Amino acid sequence: MAAAAPQQHTTSDCSPEGKDGSQDGFVLVRKRDLERLRSEVMQLRDSLPRLVHRDVNRMLRRARATKKKMEFKFQDLDRLKQECLHLSSRLETMQSECQKEREGKLVLRDQLWESREQLQQQAEFCVGLGASTVTLLWSVSGKEEAVADILNDGKLQSFLSVAGQTLESFVRSLDEEKKAETLQEQNSPELQFVLAVAGVIANIAAVTCGRDYLSSGAPVLLDTLMQLLMTMKSGVCPRLKVLMLMALYNVSISVKGLKYISESPGLLDLIWTLLEDSNRVSLSPPPDSQWEVCVNALRLLQSLLLEKDVVSMLGPQALLEAGRVQRVRELSFSRQPALKDRALETLQDLQALMETQEDPCPSHPQEDPCPSHPQEDR
């Protein structure tokens, strides 16, 4: 068997020592390792250009994409700058227009205030003129001939329609107690206007032809008067209540008017409510015109008591209720002479009705309704 060949080694230097005296040892490398190293170096030399070229291409592509993006961004930036300039110019335009509108609004506000002042002055003038005109009509309507002329003119229906709406609107505005007190204290033209309207209605009803017209041709107005009296609070505008009660009483002198008024479901409650309000001050002189409200309520009650058909329709029990008779008896002790006398007369009528109920066959004749009392010009 042949002996194995000795393994070959290569050295990097054939000199054991360097020239400068330093010892550089020899490195022994196997030929197989050297060949492997040489093959790896050759492979790297072949593959390195491809790797580098691929990375460079990738970087170039990225660079081109970034450049395009930057171009797009610059274009967007330019577009945004243009939009910004456009918006800035629009803002300046809008600011100038806003300033003009603000100045215009200030001018319009000044004109509005001037118009309001003029409107207020015109309204006050119209109310004053209306109050003066209707007050003059109120004074003229106190004559029977004038009322007959008004009826013959054919314009009374439109006046009564406006009068009802005026009274209703005024009473609704009295929901605020402060306003009612102010109107009464200042005796304003508005209050004078409404009082004159109610006074004209009362004067028309004081004439025979007038009350006949109201009984047949103005039922809505009569309903309005009764409804407003039910609505008005105690102690509010007693002068207006007096005039409306005078109108209802004058209409009640007519048998037809009395029957129509008595058909109102809340008439008795209204009368007793007015008497109850005045009962609080019955033993002392009532303030303002409150005692006149009570007097006219009693007169209206007397008109109901003097008509047998009306008494039968209303029911004697409702008229002779103990509490209600007691209210009239208390009013008969009032210090106001007119109120005291009217309460005594009403008490006598109630007593007569009570006797009639006790005696089913009364022997005394039926009394005629009371004549219309003289109207007061205010």
Side-chain angles (χ1 to χ4, degrees):
M1 189 173 179
Q7 188 175 4
Q8 295 182 359
H9 297 277
T10 61
T11 61
S12 60
D13 193 354
C14 60
S15 175
E17 290 183 356
K19 295 180 179 181
D20 56 356
S22 60
Q23 295 181 357
D24 292 331
F26 290 96
V27 177
L28 298 178
V29 178
R30 290 191 179 95
K31 186 176 182 179
R32 185 176 54 191
D33 294 336
L34 182 59
E35 292 296 334
R36 187 185 303 127
L37 180 60
R38 182 181 299 169
S39 62
E40 290 178 357
V41 169
M42 295 299 294
Q43 290 177 359
L44 288 174
R45 183 182 298 174
D46 295 336
S47 62
L48 184 59
R50 292 196 303 272
L51 294 175
V52 172
H53 184 68
R54 184 173 56 187
D55 294 339
V56 170
N57 289 335
R58 187 183 302 114
M59 292 177 65
L60 288 175
R61 286 195 298 271
R62 290 180 180 177
R64 293 191 192 98
T66 304
K67 185 177 181 180
K68 289 183 180 180
K69 290 182 180 179
M70 289 181 64
E71 291 177 355
F72 290 147
K73 294 295 183 182
F74 281 124
Q75 292 176 359
D76 292 339
L77 183 60
D78 292 338
R79 181 176 54 81
L80 293 175
K81 286 181 179 180
Q82 295 296 328
E83 291 181 358
C84 183
L85 293 174
H86 178 66
L87 291 176
S88 298
S89 62
R90 288 187 59 187
L91 177 61
E92 294 177 356
T93 304
M94 295 298 292
Q95 286 178 343
S96 61
E97 292 179 357
C98 181
Q99 183 64 26
K100 292 179 181 179
E101 289 182 359
R102 186 177 302 172
E103 294 174 356
K105 287 182 180 180
L106 292 176
V107 174
L108 291 176
R109 182 178 298 176
D110 294 337
Q111 294 177 355
L112 178 61
W113 281 109
E114 293 177 0
S115 300
R116 285 180 177 176
E117 292 178 358
Q118 294 177 0
L119 182 61
Q120 182 66 24
Q121 295 174 0
Q122 293 176 1
E124 293 175 357
F125 173 78
C126 292
V127 172
L129 179 61
S132 302
T133 304
V134 181
T135 302
L136 182 62
L137 179 61
W138 184 10
S139 178
V140 172
S141 64
K143 298 181 179 181
E144 184 174 354
E145 298 81 4
V147 175
D149 292 339
I150 292 174
L151 289 173
N152 294 331
D153 188 49
K155 300 295 181 63
L156 182 59
Q157 186 62 40
S158 59
F159 171 79
L160 295 178
S161 178
V162 174
Q165 295 175 6
T166 301
L167 292 173
E168 186 175 2
S169 176
F170 178 79
V171 172
R172 286 181 179 178
S173 68
L174 294 179
D175 293 339
E176 301 178 4
E177 296 182 0
K178 293 183 179 179
K179 181 176 180 180
E181 295 176 359
T182 303
L183 289 174
Q184 296 180 76
E185 292 174 358
Q186 296 179 354
N187 196 18
S188 65
E190 182 181 0
L191 177 59
Q192 185 63 29
F193 177 75
V194 175
L195 292 177
V197 170
V200 172
I201 297 173
N203 282 351
I204 292 174
V207 181
T208 302
C209 59
R211 72 173 66 98
D212 291 340
Y213 179 85
L214 293 177
S215 300
S216 58
V220 177
L221 177 63
L222 299 179
D223 293 338
T224 301
L225 293 179
M226 289 185 285
Q227 184 63 37
L228 294 180
L229 285 170
M230 296 176 187
T231 304
M232 295 178 69
K233 298 179 181 179
S234 174
V236 175
C237 290
R239 294 166 61 189
L240 181 59
K241 289 182 180 179
V242 168
L243 292 171
M244 289 193 291
L245 284 170
M246 288 170 61
L248 292 176
Y249 169 72
N250 290 337
V251 171
S252 70
I253 295 175
S254 169
V255 176
K256 184 176 181 180
L258 178 61
K259 289 183 178 179
Y260 182 81
I261 293 175
S262 60
E263 291 175 357
S264 177
L267 180 60
L268 279 181
D269 292 336
L270 169 63
I271 294 175
W272 294 119
T273 299
L274 294 174
L275 295 179
E276 183 179 6
D277 292 340
S278 59
N279 235 3
R280 301 169 185 173
V281 289
S282 60
L283 300 180
S284 60
D288 299 327
S289 302
Q290 186 63 39
W291 68 271
E292 295 184 59
V293 175
C294 188
V295 168
N296 285 277
L298 289 173
R299 296 177 71 188
L300 184 58
L301 178 60
Q302 282 185 292
S303 293
L304 300 177
L305 293 172
L306 294 176
E307 184 65 34
K308 287 185 176 181
D309 294 339
V310 174
V311 172
S312 300
M313 183 182 63
L314 294 176
Q317 294 80 7
L319 293 168
L320 297 176
E321 187 178 330
R324 295 176 173 179
V325 176
Q326 180 62 27
R327 291 173 193 160
V328 179
R329 184 174 291 109
E330 290 175 357
L331 289 174
S332 65
F333 294 99
S334 174
R335 296 181 183 178
Q336 192 64 243
L339 178 57
K340 180 178 180 180
D341 294 341
R342 185 61 60 178
L344 288 173
E345 293 179 8
T346 307
L347 201 59
Q348 292 176 1
D349 294 336
L350 291 172
Q351 184 65 31
L353 177 61
M354 193 178 302
E355 293 175 357
T356 303
Q357 294 301 310
E358 294 176 357
D359 183 6
C361 298
S363 59
H364 57 275
Q366 180 182 354
E367 300 180 5
D368 295 330
C370 297
S372 171
H373 72 70
Q375 304 300 308
E376 298 181 9
D377 291 338
R378 297 179 181 271

